[in-house]
Amino acid sequence: MSDVTTDQGIPEPEGHTEVIDTDFEIGQDNVEGTVGPFGFDVHNPVFLISGLTIVAFVFYTLVFQEQATAAFGALRPWLTGTFDWVFLTSANIFVLFCLFLIVSPWGSVRLGGADAVPDYSYSGWFAMLFAAGMGIGLMFFGVLEPVYHMAISQPLGVPSPFAEDGTIIEANVEAAKRMGLASTIYHWGLHPWAIYAVVALALALFSFNKGLPLTIRSAFYPIFGDRVWGWTGHVIDILAVFATLFGLATSLGFGAQQANAGLEHVFGIANNANVQVVLITVITGIALVSVVRGLDGGVKVLSEINMVLAALLLLFVLLAGPTMVIFSDFFAGLGTYATEIIALSNPIGREDTGYLQGWTSFYWAWWVSWSPFVGMFIARVSRGRTVREFIICVLIIPSLVCVLWMAVFGGVAIDQVLSDPTTSAVKAQVIDSYNPPISLFAMLEGLPLASITSTLGIVLVIVFFVTSSDSGSLVIDTITAGGKIDAPLPQRVFWCTFEGAVAIVLLLGGGLSALQAMVISTGLPFTFVLLLMCVAIVKGLAAEKNAVPPTSGGGS
């Protein structure tokens, strides 16, 4: 029987469940000791290989910036052009798999055992889901993407509403508006949350129900058996560390660029790489304070604050903008998404390669890279939920909120562009000169109280930045500590520091192209890990439902 006790931070299953019988004990292969006043407790192969590789990467990118910039610039288009069909097909499988679990008998399995109760209320749970899962992305792309897809990328061949001379072609406006929102919803709806749900469910099931360590390798025990405690598992966890770190670095890079753009827009602070490096450094320092405070005292508190601020900004934009137009566009975009989701998900015979490879393939790789981080974080806060409740809440409800966010921010921006294209700040920054970080502030400029709302937007970006860095540090530390979730604090400080360092060197060594190239590079191999994870989930849930509960009670 696995030795899972509360001193490792993982509660024992409550009520009937099918615990996996294994001699492995959490942390049995770890190396423990002290360096001066600081203790360490690391899973040696995973921590050592991951840490040294990332340190070497940081060193190489800083020393050979010119070569790194050229390599990163060529890597992204090659990966998205060659493997777009892999990303799209896999993401479709994840959505169908999650929908199947909702209606299957396995949906009644409770994470943590038949008698487990949720650790967090719905409000606290949802706040942490959004802050960790979509924060910086919603702020960065909420205005940019609907406008860009409406006017530039032309998903599924829907024509742009703008002629070459910049005038509006009225006959194209409605179809372009609907497709702009629908194709954005596609990137922020069911597919990304299905990717997160697969990883989170696997981790929660095999840790809380099966008694295994809370680490990625545990999910593969039904397939590989005790080999997951050897090099098979080491490789899986190392891939998870790389995917998580570069996925986070991409988000932190986006956040730094957007915060810098907002500071320039509102306060006139220079917008350049040096300021962004300072921003990443300062915000990483704030994240370190949150790391020290822990999950409940740090991430949870910041997440709830962020949810309130985000809701206030959303409500203001909704009421200050053309409210009825926004609601109309919301339902029109949602309807178009429902009718076009199959066409948008099709990887074969597409001519809209700019949208398919430049956006969708990158997004799916980004979500896959984020999945170990977001999945483990969701698993840690989701104990006590049934599989059905878990999938519905993680898949359906966040998707609807993301749709609402994009419809409000994107809808207002589209209305500004089409109502007055000659003076629209959004058109100037998104369509005329592609400047993604400033797009949110360009939209807010067209509404009342722009300086106040822009400042609030900067604060939101920064706090999302902090919660992502903090949560990511907790997750990577858990993986590299062999599944221990109460490893010594200096280890979390190490990973939090290096998340910021990787974001800095990627910005210096190629900007957005470097960030996006690395997230695709790590997302591609981890996509196959997730596909195999679906098989493991089926095996694990089948054992739970087929097990006969003891006659003394507590059965599921």
Side-chain angles (χ1 to χ4, degrees):
M1 192 73 65
S2 61
D3 180 20
V4 181
T5 58
T6 54
D7 69 328
Q8 301 298 345
I10 301 175
E12 294 181 353
E14 299 179 44
H16 174 67
T17 187
E18 188 69 9
V19 177
I20 288 178
D21 189 11
T22 174
D23 294 330
F24 182 82
E25 297 182 2
I26 294 177
Q28 71 176 31
D29 297 327
N30 284 19
V31 177
E32 300 182 52
T34 58
V35 177
F38 303 114
F40 62 88
D41 185 354
V42 299
H43 194 268
N44 188 39
V46 176
F47 183 91
L48 190 64
I49 294 173
S50 302
L52 289 178
T53 303
I54 290 164
V55 170
F57 173 83
V58 169
F59 176 79
Y60 167 80
T61 308
L62 282 176
V63 174
F64 302 102
Q65 283 191 32
E66 186 176 340
Q67 295 92 325
T69 301
F72 293 140
L75 186 59
R76 178 193 166 168
W78 180 78
L79 287 170
T80 55
T82 305
F83 298 103
D84 54 351
W85 64 275
V86 173
F87 291 122
L88 265 72
T89 303
S90 301
N92 294 339
I93 291 172
F94 300 141
V95 172
L96 295 174
F97 179 66
C98 288
L99 295 177
F100 164 73
L101 290 180
I102 291 175
V103 300
S104 76
W106 297 331
S108 61
V109 172
R110 188 170 294 277
L111 301 174
D115 299 332
V117 295
D119 294 331
Y120 298 96
S121 66
Y122 276 116
S123 60
W125 189 35
F126 288 154
M128 287 188 281
L129 291 182
F130 286 115
M134 290 293 181
I136 292 175
L138 288 177
M139 298 296 294
F140 194 90
F141 291 101
V143 170
L144 167 71
E145 197 173 345
V147 173
Y148 189 85
H149 294 329
M150 174 195 72
I152 305 295
S153 67
Q154 300 179 32
L156 303 181
V158 174
S160 171
F162 290 98
E164 291 185 5
D165 61 0
T167 58
I168 294 177
I169 306 173
E170 292 293 342
N172 295 347
V173 167
E174 287 305 315
K177 282 177 59 178
R178 289 196 302 270
M179 184 52 70
L181 285 172
S183 53
T184 303
I185 292 168
Y186 172 63
H187 289 154
W188 295 86
L190 295 177
H191 285 75
W193 287 99
I195 292 169
Y196 294 161
V198 166
V199 179
L201 177 59
L203 291 169
L205 176 66
F206 286 98
S207 179
F208 299 142
N209 292 61
K210 308 297 187 180
L212 300 181
L214 186 64
T215 189
I216 303 296
R217 70 175 73 200
S218 296
F220 297 91
Y221 191 90
I223 298 173
F224 298 115
D226 284 332
R227 283 179 293 170
V228 297
W229 314 130
W231 275 102
T232 300
H234 298 342
V235 171
I236 291 171
D237 278 352
I238 290 168
L239 281 174
V241 171
F242 290 157
T244 302
L245 194 73
F246 287 112
L248 275 169
T250 300
S251 298
L252 300 186
F254 282 142
Q257 290 188 330
Q258 187 171 30
N260 193 180
L263 290 170
E264 181 188 41
H265 187 75
V266 179
F267 302 108
I269 297 174
N271 188 351
N272 55 50
N274 292 332
V275 175
Q276 290 160 24
V277 168
V278 172
L279 275 171
I280 293 175
T281 303
V282 171
I283 296 172
T284 299
I286 299 172
L288 288 174
V289 176
S290 184
V291 163
V292 172
R293 291 181 59 85
L295 183 64
D296 291 333
V299 180
K300 182 174 181 288
V301 172
L302 286 174
S303 298
E304 290 175 341
I305 293 172
N306 237 20
M307 283 297 293
V308 172
L309 295 177
L312 288 174
L313 183 61
L314 179 73
L315 185 62
F316 172 81
V317 174
L318 175 63
L319 297 178
T323 306
M324 296 311 298
V325 173
I326 292 171
F327 279 119
S328 175
D329 290 344
F330 170 79
F331 289 109
L334 196 60
T336 303
Y337 168 63
T339 58
E340 300 292 347
I341 186 171
I342 294 177
L344 290 169
S345 304
N346 172 36
I348 301 171
R350 297 276 291 272
E351 296 183 1
D352 54 342
T353 53
Y355 175 81
L356 172 66
Q357 297 174 4
W359 289 85
T360 305
S361 293
F362 163 69
Y363 267 133
W364 290 177
W366 192 14
W367 303 147
V368 168
S369 291
W370 262 52
S371 65
F373 151 49
V374 180
M376 185 174 291
F377 188 77
I378 292 174
R380 286 184 62 174
V381 300
S382 299
R383 185 177 174 275
R385 309 288 178 183
T386 66
V387 170
R388 183 171 295 111
E389 177 187 20
F390 174 89
I391 294 292
I392 290 174
C393 290
V394 174
L395 182 64
I396 306 298
I397 296 175
S399 294
L400 291 175
V401 175
C402 287
V403 169
L404 178 62
W405 184 280
M406 293 298 182
V408 171
F409 283 76
V412 169
I414 288 174
D415 182 74
Q416 291 175 350
V417 168
L418 295 176
S419 298
D420 191 2
T422 57
T423 62
S424 168
V426 175
K427 183 175 183 293
Q429 298 295 340
V430 176
I431 299 173
D432 298 338
S433 60
Y434 186 64
N435 188 7
I438 201 66
S439 58
L440 170 66
F441 306 104
M443 183 274 290
L444 293 175
E445 185 181 307
L447 299 177
L449 307 176
S451 60
I452 296 175
T453 55
S454 294
T455 302
L456 178 58
I458 296 169
V459 172
L460 273 168
V461 170
I462 290 173
V463 182
F464 275 130
F465 195 143
V466 172
T467 53
S468 295
S469 180
D470 186 350
S471 306
S473 303
L474 294 172
V475 167
I476 295 176
D477 184 44
T478 300
I479 297 173
T480 56
K484 288 188 176 182
I485 63 176
D486 59 348
L489 180 62
Q491 294 172 204
R492 295 201 298 275
V493 171
F494 170 83
W495 287 115
C496 186
T497 302
F498 264 86
E499 286 163 20
V502 171
I504 287 171
V505 299
L506 285 173
L507 277 175
L508 295 176
L512 284 177
S513 296
L515 293 164
Q516 294 170 350
M518 289 310 300
V519 82
I520 295 170
S521 299
T522 53
L524 180 62
F526 208 73
T527 298
F528 296 100
V529 174
L530 263 64
L531 289 170
L532 197 59
M533 195 176 279
C534 293
V535 178
I537 290 173
V538 170
K539 289 178 175 289
L541 289 175
E544 290 287 299
K545 289 300 293 182
N546 293 337
V548 179
T551 56
S552 58
S556 59

